[in-house]
Amino acid sequence: MPAENPAVHVDPVCKMKVVRGREAATSDYKGTRYYFCNPNCKVRFDKEPERFLASEPSSEPVADEGRLSHTETTVLSIGGMSCAACAVSIEKALNRLPGVKDTTLNFAAERAVVEYAPGVSSRADLERAVREVGYDVLSGEPGGEGQEDEDRAARARLVWVWVLVGPVMALMGLHMAGVHVRYMEWIEVGLGAAAVFGPGFRTLRMALGSLRSGAASMDVLITLGTLAALGSGVAVLAGVPVASFAGIAGMIMAFHLTGRYIEARARGKASDAIRRLIALGAKTARVERGGVEVELPVSRVGVGDVMVVRPGEKFPTDGRVIAGQTTVDESMATGEPVPVRRGPGDEVIGATVNQQGLVRVEATRIGRDTFLAQVIALVERAQGTKVPIQQFADAITAKFVPVVLAVAVLTFFGWLAFADRLRPVLEWSAGLLPWVNPALPALSLAFYAGIAVLVIACPCALGLATPTALIVGSGLGAERGILFRSGEAVQTLKDVRAVVFDKTGTITRGRPEVTDILPAPGADGEVLLATAASLGQGSEHPLAAAVVESARAAGLTLDRPDEFEAVPGQGARGRVKGGRVVIGQAEFLAGEGVRPAASAEAVARLREQARTVLYVAAGGRFLGVLAVADAVKEDSARAIAELKELGIVPVMLTGDSAETAAA
């Protein structure tokens, strides 16, 4: 047995050390069981076992079993793919590397998720394998400079190919109109060759890389079609009696590059959600260095650095408050719109918003370890996975191109053999399509038909539809605070029969609002609201904030409180313009010597509607009642109704009382 330790074996294909119990596959051959690091090694071994057993693997001691068995997952941004078959080519190239356990490549996302053993193959090895089969590895974040450079290059190729093909199309139009231009064949061959080997050179290079990896992509079809068409023009110049399709070579490449550019734009828009998540983070941070406050890019902040965050600013990275008091809007992370209080010792999340006080924060997590980076990584992994229906589509795509090549060959020989019998069909179609020429010799007709099959057949729609839907679905979910841990979860949504909602912040706004103003007899409603809001400016309580916001929205003038004291669970008291103001429960006002004279019936009705009742008095006089409630969102009722129409049962969970939930 090729192993120096009963618990550690050697993959006979890639020679990677495999720990028993963590193998990806096994195979029994001639009474011996062999262990493999990934299924592809098993497939290759089963086909030619003697080839891999011809030379026994090394029997050197395992220096570090943990290093060899430990795997990491990395994400590669891939550029230059033209169809789902390209993804198959890249997957094969990566899976051949020793130490690579699994590769999942999403064509629409242009992203490969690779699980590998860093002690066997490095990330540089992964990138080299991708480039060796003719594709690019883009640097930077999704939608970053690498992607922008790729988009600019694609646009430049598109412009140049049409500049070269435009004159050829004009010449062909004149030819169909009966006007023959001198040296037309030479011009078509020259411009066609320039289009194919200039802007189209990348397509030729990727086709070669695809063939090297053992998988034929759409680039192979386009390359064969354009070179065959261009070769017919060269043959005509050499005196061979065939029709020249050199002009069509450039047109094929032009349409191909146009389609590639449109697909790239569509994929870019589908991935906008990732870019928007990245944009949530702060770009700079104020850091204390040597007693001096300096502004640095977030990328230069280190663990242990002390950051100064002012009101209205985002926290640059995850950290711990070491000085100061504030309230933080954490709705980006938690979905709860009510700000939370944070003080010394409390954790804060990067990209959340500091609302009130100046605080000093010690950075505890940076870069890929931050909360926002983990959310982005989760969404990227979900977009990079393959749902079951996509795996089925990829299986078809892998066989599609070879089938097309076979059909093109059959078409060529079929027309060559039965051109005379098919000529009546050409004569009929010539009346509809002016470029059809029934008088062409059989060889030219067969050549033309074979090229048509090569360039028209394309597996892009099959390979692009499912992953694009996955990107859009997971991306839109991330924008709305819904995270998918895997692509399979998106497909599973079709089987959902019930949806459970949290009440606060989901069905309701999650932000208290003043809903009713009931002034006492002889009192004014605006005075009631302005008095309560003036005192409320000294409080950080969500109910007080709701009263202040309502008064400001009404355009009322507020006075700063001279004194303020909060009484937890009861209310607040203080002085505004020298007068004593009390706000809170009825019992609280009674304890302050004020008799609330509100209508018991009106107050009971408000409470039945799940509204919090605040009694307000000033100068010993009862002013009236304010009702505050967490209002239902405008679109909640419509969304729930639409779910019911789909046959989905909506369920609401809440920690509030049954009366509040029913209201």
Side-chain angles (χ1 to χ4, degrees):
M1 180 72 190
E4 59 285 333
N5 184 318
V8 183
H9 304 271
V10 179
D11 185 324
V13 176
C14 66
K15 306 302 184 283
M16 175 184 174
K17 306 298 187 301
V18 181
V19 178
R20 182 185 296 174
R22 297 180 181 177
E23 70 277 1
T26 62
S27 184
D28 294 327
Y29 181 70
K30 292 185 176 180
T32 301
R33 173 161 294 182
Y34 296 92
Y35 295 78
F36 302 93
C37 67
N38 69 62
N40 292 288
C41 287
K42 171 181 166 57
V43 172
R44 296 176 66 192
F45 177 82
D46 289 344
K47 288 181 179 178
E48 303 176 281
E50 292 298 335
R51 170 191 168 192
F52 297 105
L53 297 178
S55 59
E56 285 293 310
S58 171
S59 299
E60 295 179 2
V62 180
D64 186 353
E65 295 176 13
R67 176 181 69 86
L68 295 169
S69 61
H70 169 68
T71 62
E72 293 181 359
T73 299
T74 189
V75 178
L76 302 177
S77 295
I78 310 296
M81 292 189 294
S82 61
C83 68
C86 297
V88 175
S89 300
I90 297 171
E91 284 183 347
K92 287 185 175 181
L94 289 170
N95 283 329
R96 286 198 188 101
L97 290 178
V100 174
K101 184 175 181 181
D102 183 59
T103 301
T104 302
L105 198 148
N106 188 309
F107 166 51
E110 295 188 305
R111 195 173 294 122
V113 180
V114 187
E115 184 181 357
Y116 70 108
V120 180
S121 290
S122 65
R123 181 183 169 93
D125 294 328
L126 304 180
E127 295 180 359
R128 188 181 307 111
V130 173
R131 293 191 176 98
E132 284 178 354
V133 291
Y135 302 92
D136 299 322
V137 179
L138 306 180
S139 60
E141 301 288 350
E145 291 185 5
Q147 185 62 51
E148 291 177 1
D149 291 342
E150 174 76 8
D151 292 344
R152 281 193 293 269
R155 191 182 304 113
R157 286 191 293 269
L158 177 66
V159 170
W160 277 110
V161 76
W162 281 108
V163 167
L164 294 169
V165 169
V168 174
M169 295 179 67
L171 288 174
M172 294 177 69
L174 291 173
H175 182 70
M176 285 188 288
V179 178
H180 184 74
V181 178
R182 192 177 183 186
Y183 302 120
M184 177 175 173
E185 289 80 7
W186 286 94
I187 296 173
E188 285 184 344
V189 170
L191 293 178
V196 171
F197 293 102
F201 180 75
R202 187 180 187 186
T203 299
L204 306 183
R205 179 169 59 87
M206 289 189 295
L208 182 59
S210 175
L211 292 174
R212 285 176 179 171
S213 68
S217 67
M218 178 189 168
D219 294 312
V220 174
L221 300 180
I222 297 299
T223 297
L224 290 176
T226 54
L227 293 181
L230 190 62
S232 69
V234 175
V236 169
L237 296 180
V240 180
V242 294
S244 173
F245 301 110
I248 294 177
M251 293 173 61
I252 293 171
M253 188 59 71
F255 284 116
H256 171 64
L257 294 180
T258 301
R260 288 280 306 280
Y261 179 70
I262 294 172
E263 286 176 7
R265 292 291 301 272
R267 287 194 294 265
K269 290 180 180 178
S271 299
D272 279 347
I274 293 291
R275 299 184 185 96
R276 282 191 282 269
L277 283 174
I278 294 171
L280 290 175
K283 301 296 183 291
T284 60
R286 292 186 179 90
V287 180
E288 293 183 352
R289 293 282 172 89
V292 179
E293 187 178 309
V294 296
E295 187 168 348
L296 301 173
V298 172
S299 59
R300 293 179 58 187
V301 175
V303 173
D305 281 346
V306 176
M307 305 174 291
V308 178
V309 185
R310 292 177 170 79
E313 296 179 345
K314 293 180 180 179
F315 290 96
T317 187
D318 296 358
R320 183 185 303 107
V321 178
I322 59 176
Q325 297 279 349
T326 188
T327 55
V328 181
D329 179 2
E330 294 185 346
S331 58
M332 180 277 293
T334 65
E336 294 292 341
V338 179
V340 293
R341 190 170 184 81
R342 292 288 182 258
D346 293 332
E347 298 286 336
V348 292
I349 301 172
T352 57
V353 180
N354 178 27
Q355 288 201 320
Q356 292 187 347
L358 183 146
V359 290
R360 296 169 67 240
V361 178
E362 179 185 0
T364 56
R365 288 183 295 272
I366 60 173
R368 296 184 179 181
D369 296 328
T370 64
F371 172 82
L372 181 60
Q374 293 298 315
V375 170
I376 294 171
L378 181 65
V379 176
E380 284 184 336
R381 284 196 293 270
Q383 291 186 344
T385 58
K386 289 185 179 179
V387 298
I389 188 64
Q390 185 183 344
Q391 294 173 350
F392 173 71
D394 287 350
I396 296 175
T397 301
K399 309 297 182 183
F400 190 89
V401 175
V403 170
V404 170
L405 291 172
V407 171
V409 172
L410 291 175
T411 301
F412 175 81
F413 286 108
W415 273 90
L416 195 61
F418 303 106
D420 291 336
R421 296 184 182 182
L422 294 172
R423 207 175 293 274
V425 178
L426 292 176
E427 293 173 351
W428 170 82
S429 61
L432 302 174
L433 306 173
W435 56 83
V436 174
N437 184 3
L440 289 175
L443 180 60
S444 296
L445 292 175
F447 202 74
Y448 191 89
I451 292 175
V453 171
L454 285 175
V455 299
I456 291 175
C458 171
C460 287
L462 186 64
L464 186 61
T466 300
T468 299
L470 174 62
I471 293 175
V472 173
S474 57
L476 291 177
E479 288 182 39
R480 291 159 175 77
I482 303 171
L483 300 180
F484 295 94
R485 294 187 64 183
S486 69
E488 187 174 356
V490 180
Q491 182 174 334
T492 305
L493 281 177
K494 67 182 178 61
D495 300 321
V496 168
R497 293 295 174 263
V499 177
V500 180
F501 295 100
D502 176 39
K503 180 181 75 70
T504 304
T506 303
I507 295 177
T508 66
R509 292 179 182 276
R511 186 174 61 250
E513 297 176 345
V514 174
T515 58
D516 298 89
I517 302 175
L518 303 179
D524 180 75
E526 290 189 352
V527 173
L528 165 63
L529 181 59
T531 301
S534 295
L535 181 66
Q537 291 179 104
S539 174
E540 295 179 352
H541 196 282
L543 296 182
V547 173
V548 173
E549 184 179 342
S550 178
R552 287 175 175 165
L556 302 180
T557 301
L558 305 184
D559 298 304
R560 300 292 300 178
D562 301 318
E563 297 176 6
F564 178 85
E565 179 187 0
V567 182
Q570 297 185 56
R573 56 194 170 205
R575 290 188 176 276
V576 177
K577 296 182 67 174
R580 188 167 182 77
V581 177
V582 183
I583 179 172
Q585 299 178 5
E587 295 78 6
F588 180 59
L589 266 68
E592 295 291 320
V594 179
R595 180 176 175 274
S599 167
E601 182 180 339
V603 170
R605 187 178 66 252
L606 291 173
R607 285 179 172 155
E608 287 175 358
Q609 296 172 344
R611 294 174 182 175
T612 301
V613 178
L614 302 175
Y615 295 84
V616 183
R621 176 189 171 209
F622 178 63
L623 296 182
V625 169
L626 298 177
V628 181
D630 188 1
V632 176
K633 294 179 181 177
E634 294 85 351
D635 56 355
S636 291
R638 184 177 71 253
I640 291 172
E642 290 177 357
L643 286 174
K644 289 180 177 179
E645 290 178 1
L646 294 172
I648 297 175
V649 179
V651 179
M652 183 178 74
L653 296 183
T654 177
D656 293 332
S657 64
E659 292 80 6
T660 301

Short mmCIF file of all heavy atoms in Angstrom, two decimals, residues 153-184:
data_model
loop_
_atom_site.label_atom_id
_atom_site.label_comp_id
_atom_site.label_asym_id
_atom_site.label_seq_id
_atom_site.Cartn_x
_atom_site.Cartn_y
_atom_site.Cartn_z
N ALA A 153 -11.54 47.23 -21.85
CA ALA A 153 -10.90 46.45 -22.92
C ALA A 153 -11.95 45.83 -23.83
O ALA A 153 -11.79 45.81 -25.06
CB ALA A 153 -10.02 45.35 -22.31
N ALA A 154 -13.05 45.33 -23.25
CA ALA A 154 -14.11 44.73 -24.06
C ALA A 154 -14.75 45.78 -24.97
O ALA A 154 -15.07 45.52 -26.14
CB ALA A 154 -15.17 44.10 -23.16
N ARG A 155 -14.93 46.99 -24.44
CA ARG A 155 -15.51 48.07 -25.24
C ARG A 155 -14.58 48.47 -26.37
O ARG A 155 -15.02 48.71 -27.50
CB ARG A 155 -15.80 49.28 -24.34
CG ARG A 155 -16.64 50.36 -25.01
CD ARG A 155 -16.87 51.54 -24.09
NE ARG A 155 -17.46 51.15 -22.83
CZ ARG A 155 -16.85 51.22 -21.66
NH1 ARG A 155 -15.59 51.66 -21.59
NH2 ARG A 155 -17.44 50.84 -20.56
N ALA A 156 -13.27 48.51 -26.09
CA ALA A 156 -12.30 48.87 -27.13
C ALA A 156 -12.29 47.82 -28.24
O ALA A 156 -12.25 48.17 -29.44
CB ALA A 156 -10.90 49.01 -26.52
N ARG A 157 -12.33 46.53 -27.86
CA ARG A 157 -12.36 45.48 -28.90
C ARG A 157 -13.63 45.60 -29.75
O ARG A 157 -13.58 45.40 -30.96
CB ARG A 157 -12.31 44.10 -28.22
CG ARG A 157 -10.95 43.73 -27.68
CD ARG A 157 -10.89 42.27 -27.27
NE ARG A 157 -11.74 41.98 -26.12
CZ ARG A 157 -11.33 42.05 -24.87
NH1 ARG A 157 -10.08 42.38 -24.59
NH2 ARG A 157 -12.15 41.77 -23.87
N LEU A 158 -14.74 45.92 -29.11
CA LEU A 158 -16.00 46.07 -29.83
C LEU A 158 -15.92 47.20 -30.86
O LEU A 158 -16.33 47.04 -32.02
CB LEU A 158 -17.13 46.33 -28.83
CG LEU A 158 -18.52 46.57 -29.41
CD1 LEU A 158 -19.03 45.31 -30.09
CD2 LEU A 158 -19.49 47.03 -28.33
N VAL A 159 -15.37 48.33 -30.44
CA VAL A 159 -15.28 49.49 -31.34
C VAL A 159 -14.38 49.17 -32.53
O VAL A 159 -14.73 49.40 -33.69
CB VAL A 159 -14.76 50.73 -30.58
CG1 VAL A 159 -14.43 51.86 -31.56
CG2 VAL A 159 -15.79 51.19 -29.55
N TRP A 160 -13.20 48.60 -32.25
CA TRP A 160 -12.24 48.34 -33.33
C TRP A 160 -12.74 47.29 -34.31
O TRP A 160 -12.51 47.42 -35.53
CB TRP A 160 -10.90 47.93 -32.74
CG TRP A 160 -10.06 49.10 -32.33
CD1 TRP A 160 -9.74 49.50 -31.08
CD2 TRP A 160 -9.48 50.07 -33.22
NE1 TRP A 160 -8.99 50.65 -31.11
CE2 TRP A 160 -8.80 51.01 -32.42
CE3 TRP A 160 -9.46 50.22 -34.61
CZ2 TRP A 160 -8.12 52.10 -32.95
CZ3 TRP A 160 -8.77 51.31 -35.15
CH2 TRP A 160 -8.11 52.23 -34.32
N VAL A 161 -13.41 46.27 -33.83
CA VAL A 161 -13.86 45.23 -34.75
C VAL A 161 -14.92 45.79 -35.71
O VAL A 161 -14.93 45.45 -36.90
CB VAL A 161 -14.39 44.00 -33.98
CG1 VAL A 161 -15.77 44.24 -33.39
CG2 VAL A 161 -14.42 42.77 -34.90
N TRP A 162 -15.78 46.69 -35.22
CA TRP A 162 -16.79 47.26 -36.12
C TRP A 162 -16.19 48.29 -37.07
O TRP A 162 -16.68 48.48 -38.19
CB TRP A 162 -17.94 47.86 -35.31
CG TRP A 162 -18.89 46.81 -34.83
CD1 TRP A 162 -19.06 46.37 -33.56
CD2 TRP A 162 -19.79 46.04 -35.65
NE1 TRP A 162 -20.01 45.37 -33.52
CE2 TRP A 162 -20.47 45.16 -34.78
CE3 TRP A 162 -20.08 46.01 -37.01
CZ2 TRP A 162 -21.43 44.25 -35.24
CZ3 TRP A 162 -21.03 45.12 -37.47
CH2 TRP A 162 -21.69 44.25 -36.60
N VAL A 163 -15.12 48.96 -36.63
CA VAL A 163 -14.41 49.87 -37.54
C VAL A 163 -13.85 49.08 -38.72
O VAL A 163 -13.88 49.54 -39.88
CB VAL A 163 -13.29 50.62 -36.79
CG1 VAL A 163 -12.35 51.31 -37.78
CG2 VAL A 163 -13.88 51.64 -35.83
N LEU A 164 -13.33 47.88 -38.46
CA LEU A 164 -12.76 47.06 -39.52
C LEU A 164 -13.84 46.38 -40.37
O LEU A 164 -13.67 46.21 -41.58
CB LEU A 164 -11.85 45.99 -38.90
CG LEU A 164 -10.58 46.52 -38.21
CD1 LEU A 164 -9.91 45.40 -37.41
CD2 LEU A 164 -9.61 47.10 -39.24
N VAL A 165 -14.94 45.99 -39.74
CA VAL A 165 -15.98 45.23 -40.45
C VAL A 165 -16.92 46.14 -41.23
O VAL A 165 -17.50 45.72 -42.24
CB VAL A 165 -16.75 44.36 -39.44
CG1 VAL A 165 -18.01 43.77 -40.06
CG2 VAL A 165 -15.85 43.25 -38.92
N GLY A 166 -17.07 47.39 -40.79
CA GLY A 166 -17.99 48.31 -41.46
C GLY A 166 -17.74 48.41 -42.96
O GLY A 166 -18.69 48.25 -43.77
N PRO A 167 -16.50 48.67 -43.41
CA PRO A 167 -16.24 48.74 -44.86
C PRO A 167 -16.54 47.42 -45.58
O PRO A 167 -17.01 47.43 -46.72
CB PRO A 167 -14.74 49.07 -44.92
CG PRO A 167 -14.44 49.73 -43.63
CD PRO A 167 -15.32 49.07 -42.62
N VAL A 168 -16.29 46.28 -44.91
CA VAL A 168 -16.58 44.99 -45.54
C VAL A 168 -18.08 44.83 -45.78
O VAL A 168 -18.51 44.38 -46.84
CB VAL A 168 -16.06 43.83 -44.64
CG1 VAL A 168 -16.49 42.49 -45.22
CG2 VAL A 168 -14.55 43.90 -44.54
N MET A 169 -18.89 45.23 -44.81
CA MET A 169 -20.34 45.14 -44.97
C MET A 169 -20.82 46.04 -46.10
O MET A 169 -21.72 45.68 -46.87
CB MET A 169 -21.03 45.50 -43.65
CG MET A 169 -20.75 44.52 -42.52
SD MET A 169 -21.54 44.97 -40.96
CE MET A 169 -23.27 44.75 -41.40
N ALA A 170 -20.19 47.22 -46.20
CA ALA A 170 -20.56 48.13 -47.29
C ALA A 170 -20.22 47.52 -48.65
O ALA A 170 -21.02 47.59 -49.60
CB ALA A 170 -19.84 49.47 -47.11
N LEU A 171 -19.05 46.88 -48.76
CA LEU A 171 -18.66 46.24 -50.01
C LEU A 171 -19.61 45.10 -50.37
O LEU A 171 -20.00 44.92 -51.54
CB LEU A 171 -17.23 45.70 -49.91
CG LEU A 171 -16.10 46.74 -49.90
CD1 LEU A 171 -14.77 46.06 -49.65
CD2 LEU A 171 -16.07 47.49 -51.23
N MET A 172 -20.01 44.31 -49.37
CA MET A 172 -20.92 43.20 -49.63
C MET A 172 -22.29 43.72 -50.07
O MET A 172 -22.96 43.12 -50.93
CB MET A 172 -21.06 42.33 -48.37
CG MET A 172 -19.76 41.62 -47.98
SD MET A 172 -19.88 40.65 -46.45
CE MET A 172 -20.99 39.34 -46.97
N GLY A 173 -22.72 44.85 -49.49
CA GLY A 173 -23.98 45.45 -49.91
C GLY A 173 -23.92 45.90 -51.36
O GLY A 173 -24.87 45.69 -52.14
N LEU A 174 -22.80 46.53 -51.76
CA LEU A 174 -22.64 46.95 -53.15
C LEU A 174 -22.61 45.74 -54.09
O LEU A 174 -23.18 45.78 -55.18
CB LEU A 174 -21.34 47.74 -53.29
CG LEU A 174 -21.31 49.12 -52.61
CD1 LEU A 174 -19.91 49.72 -52.70
CD2 LEU A 174 -22.33 50.05 -53.26
N HIS A 175 -21.95 44.66 -53.64
CA HIS A 175 -21.87 43.46 -54.47
C HIS A 175 -23.25 42.86 -54.73
O HIS A 175 -23.56 42.45 -55.85
CB HIS A 175 -20.95 42.43 -53.80
CG HIS A 175 -20.77 41.19 -54.60
ND1 HIS A 175 -20.04 41.16 -55.78
CD2 HIS A 175 -21.23 39.92 -54.41
CE1 HIS A 175 -20.05 39.93 -56.28
NE2 HIS A 175 -20.77 39.16 -55.45
N MET A 176 -24.12 42.82 -53.67
CA MET A 176 -25.47 42.29 -53.84
C MET A 176 -26.31 43.19 -54.73
O MET A 176 -27.26 42.74 -55.37
CB MET A 176 -26.14 42.12 -52.47
CG MET A 176 -25.64 40.92 -51.68
SD MET A 176 -26.59 40.59 -50.19
CE MET A 176 -26.08 41.95 -49.14
N ALA A 177 -25.93 44.50 -54.78
CA ALA A 177 -26.66 45.43 -55.65
C ALA A 177 -26.13 45.41 -57.08
O ALA A 177 -26.60 46.17 -57.93
CB ALA A 177 -26.55 46.84 -55.08
N GLY A 178 -25.14 44.55 -57.34
CA GLY A 178 -24.63 44.41 -58.70
C GLY A 178 -23.42 45.27 -58.99
O GLY A 178 -22.96 45.33 -60.14
N VAL A 179 -22.89 45.94 -57.97
CA VAL A 179 -21.71 46.80 -58.16
C VAL A 179 -20.48 46.03 -57.67
O VAL A 179 -20.41 45.64 -56.51
CB VAL A 179 -21.85 48.12 -57.39
CG1 VAL A 179 -20.59 48.97 -57.58
CG2 VAL A 179 -23.10 48.86 -57.82
N HIS A 180 -19.51 45.83 -58.55
CA HIS A 180 -18.30 45.10 -58.17
C HIS A 180 -17.15 46.09 -58.02
O HIS A 180 -16.84 46.86 -58.93
CB HIS A 180 -17.94 44.06 -59.22
CG HIS A 180 -16.76 43.21 -58.81
ND1 HIS A 180 -16.84 42.24 -57.85
CD2 HIS A 180 -15.46 43.24 -59.24
CE1 HIS A 180 -15.66 41.68 -57.69
NE2 HIS A 180 -14.80 42.27 -58.53
N VAL A 181 -16.53 46.07 -56.85
CA VAL A 181 -15.42 46.96 -56.56
C VAL A 181 -14.10 46.23 -56.87
O VAL A 181 -13.94 45.05 -56.55
CB VAL A 181 -15.44 47.38 -55.08
CG1 VAL A 181 -14.25 48.29 -54.76
CG2 VAL A 181 -16.74 48.10 -54.76
N ARG A 182 -13.19 46.94 -57.50
CA ARG A 182 -11.90 46.36 -57.86
C ARG A 182 -11.13 45.95 -56.61
O ARG A 182 -11.17 46.65 -55.59
CB ARG A 182 -11.09 47.39 -58.66
CG ARG A 182 -9.86 46.80 -59.32
CD ARG A 182 -9.16 47.87 -60.13
NE ARG A 182 -8.01 47.33 -60.84
CZ ARG A 182 -7.15 48.06 -61.52
NH1 ARG A 182 -7.33 49.38 -61.62
NH2 ARG A 182 -6.13 47.50 -62.14
N TYR A 183 -10.46 44.83 -56.67
CA TYR A 183 -9.70 44.27 -55.56
C TYR A 183 -10.57 43.97 -54.33
O TYR A 183 -10.09 43.96 -53.18
CB TYR A 183 -8.55 45.21 -55.13
CG TYR A 183 -7.58 45.52 -56.24
CD1 TYR A 183 -7.38 46.84 -56.65
CD2 TYR A 183 -6.86 44.51 -56.86
CE1 TYR A 183 -6.50 47.14 -57.66
CE2 TYR A 183 -5.95 44.81 -57.88
CZ TYR A 183 -5.79 46.12 -58.29
OH TYR A 183 -4.93 46.42 -59.29
N MET A 184 -11.84 43.70 -54.58
CA MET A 184 -12.75 43.45 -53.47
C MET A 184 -12.31 42.25 -52.63
O MET A 184 -12.36 42.28 -51.39
CB MET A 184 -14.17 43.24 -54.00
CG MET A 184 -15.20 42.91 -52.93
SD MET A 184 -16.86 42.81 -53.59
CE MET A 184 -17.75 42.20 -52.15
#
